[in-house]
Structure formats: structure tokens, C-alpha cells
Amino acid sequence: MARSGTLLRPATAIVLALSLGMTGCASLPPPPEHPPSAEALVLTRKADRPLIAFVLGGGGARGFAHAGVLKVLDDGGIRANLVVGTSAGSLVGALYAGGIRNDELLETALAVQRDELVDFVFPHRGFIEGNRLQTYIDKALKGRLIEQLDIPFVAVATELATGKLVAFTRGDTGMAVRASCSVPVIFQPTAIRGSEYVDGGLVSPVPVKVARESGADLVIAVDVSRQPDEHKGLGSTARGEQACRRRHPAESRQGTRDRSRRAWSGDCGRRGGGARRASADPQPDRGPLRRKPRPLRPGDMRIIPLWRPRR
């Protein structure tokens, strides 16, 4: 009897595991009736105004900072004709395109809980399944498809097998956002129409190209993945130089002032000399081996972050 009881224990454990597995499979949500698809997007152009696109990049938990940027743009009267998002930017972008804006969008970003977006599972190509994220988006948008949102919306994802960029423009909004947010190893890949998709930030962290190819004339892109101090290779454009001279005519006449404390903004150069790069390196000159930066010329690019944290 003792031996038979010992033999029954492994069998009982196997039966219990199989039953749990069958229960888990039975609890999976049914496949969507309209899975996301990547089709050509046709925007309605008005003769009196350019087509404006908001492009929201990835950034993990920092992605909710997009809500503040979108509120500022709305308060300034800037309206988007297209919203393109990748990774966390697709989550906020979908809510914005669905009509959740201004204070409501901020309240939504502050009120969301981790349990509403994250569903941990036994690790298999990822330990977050993604069903809760998909359900959260579909519930917030009342089940509307991408083509039914107030503003045309594009969710950028990466096809796992080929590494190809895919821009979802139609179909289930929640599943498209889930695919765009499926960070490899963390999220399980999202299966759509027999293919698997992962985070769009792998191929396009800030998908400006997608907005341009969709016909946008003016692109306002937001990158929250890095701090402003991490932007290297600052440059300036000829327009920026002229605007700087108009705003600071006295400095243009007297020459460049020392702005090492504000390396992120451009200095007005001398007449005809263009803008000069401000040194952000507090270390003293190390002698002739230290190369001085050349004066920036018109046509160079300067990336100016929208904000700078206090020190």
C-alpha cells in the first residue's frame, strides 16, 4: 500500500498540471474579429493648412510624459491630422486619437495602475502576456477600431521573423498597441494573422519616416527616451540663427557671450560668423592636444530639447 501511494503522487501531480493548463487555455480571450493590418493611409488635405503629424516615440514608463506634451500642444491651438506612435508612444497616441485629451488624458496617465496593463505568466519568450494591455486600450476606446478613431492613427511594430517595420493603420486598436509595446524577452510576441510582432522601437524609436510617408507636411516629434543632457552633436539651422539674431540684436553686435551653463541653447555669433557652440565641459583646457570645436555654419542641425531639469 505504501508503494502504491508513492506511485500515485507523481500521477496526481501530472493530472493536476494538465488540468491547470487546460483551464489556462480555456481562459484565453477569443481572437479579434478584425486583427490589425498595415494598409496605405489616405489623409484628407485642406488647401488652407498643412497636414500636421504628432510622432510619439518609445520610452517605457517615461512614455506617459507624452500626455503633458500633447496637452501643451492642444493648449497652443495645434491640432494633429495624424498621430503616429511606437511602443509606449502608441499607447498614449491611441488614447489621444480616440478623443481622450487635455486634463482627461493627464488624469488617465496618472490613474493607471500596473495591474491594469501587466499580466505575469510563466516565462516563455517573455513573462508578460499582454492581454491586459490590449483589454485596457479596447475598453478605454469602447472597442473602436483604428479606422474609427477621431484622428487617423498609426501603431508601429516590428515583424519578428524579418525585422521589418510594420505600420498598423486598420483593425483592432488594442492588439495593434499591444504589438507595438511587446518588448522582447519582457513581453511575449503578439501573434497577428500567423506572424509575430514585437516592439516597434527596435526599428524606429521615433517613427518620423512613417509620418512623412503618410503625407504629413509638418511633423512634431517627441522623444522621451533620453534626458536632454544626453543629446550630443548639437547644431543650428540658418533659420534658427536668424531668429536668434532678431531676438538678441545686442549680442549679435557685441559677439558671442559665454553660455557654458546653457549648452543646450545656441549662442548668437558675430556678424557673418554664424552661431558658435557653447562648451558644456567644465574641465579646464588641457593644452594643444585638446581640439576646439569649429564654429557652426548655417545649415548645421541643432537639437534643442523642450525642457531642462533643474540642478
Side-chain angles (χ1 to χ4, degrees), residues 210-286:
V210 175
R212 292 294 188 189
E213 292 177 348
S214 300
D217 301 314
L218 177 62
V219 175
I220 301 177
V222 185
D223 181 9
V224 298
S225 63
R226 297 182 297 173
Q227 295 287 345
D229 290 340
E230 299 175 11
H231 290 278
K232 305 295 184 181
L234 301 181
S236 65
T237 61
R239 288 185 179 180
E241 179 187 350
Q242 295 173 2
C244 188
R245 288 184 177 180
R246 287 195 297 267
R247 294 180 61 183
H248 307 282
E251 294 185 16
S252 298
R253 291 192 299 266
Q254 297 176 5
T256 304
R257 294 183 178 180
D258 182 18
R259 295 190 183 183
S260 58
R261 297 179 181 177
R262 298 175 60 189
W264 54 276
S265 64
D267 290 345
C268 297
R270 301 178 185 273
R271 289 184 179 180
R276 293 182 182 272
R277 179 179 298 178
S279 174
D281 191 353
Q283 299 180 1
D285 192 354
R286 299 177 181 174

Side-chain angles (χ1 to χ4, degrees), residues 56-137:
L56 310 179
R62 294 182 182 179
F64 286 102
H66 289 305
V69 177
L70 294 174
K71 184 179 185 306
V72 171
L73 293 173
D74 274 350
D75 292 343
I78 303 176
R79 301 290 182 263
N81 305 105
L82 172 67
V83 179
V84 182
T86 187
S87 193
S90 69
L91 191 157
V92 179
L95 298 177
Y96 181 85
I100 303 176
R101 302 171 194 163
N102 297 321
D103 293 334
E104 184 181 1
L105 182 59
L106 290 178
E107 293 174 0
T108 301
L110 294 174
V112 66
Q113 300 295 321
R114 185 184 66 176
D115 294 341
E116 298 180 78
L117 305 178
V118 176
D119 45 355
F120 293 102
V121 295
F122 186 80
H124 174 65
R125 305 174 67 190
F127 52 86
I128 298 177
E129 193 169 20
N131 284 329
R132 288 188 181 179
L133 173 60
Q134 177 179 339
T135 302
Y136 175 84
I137 294 296

Side-chain angles (χ1 to χ4, degrees), residues 37 48 54 76 84 88 142 151 170 172 183 197 204 209 211 215 220 245 253 255 262 268-269 274 295 301 306:
S37 60
D48 58 339
F54 292 169
V84 182
K142 299 180 180 179
I151 304 175
R170 300 183 65 86
D172 189 283
V183 181
Y197 298 90
S204 186
K209 182 179 179 181
I220 301 177
R245 288 184 177 180
R253 291 192 299 266
R262 298 175 60 189
C268 297
M301 296 298 296
L306 299 177

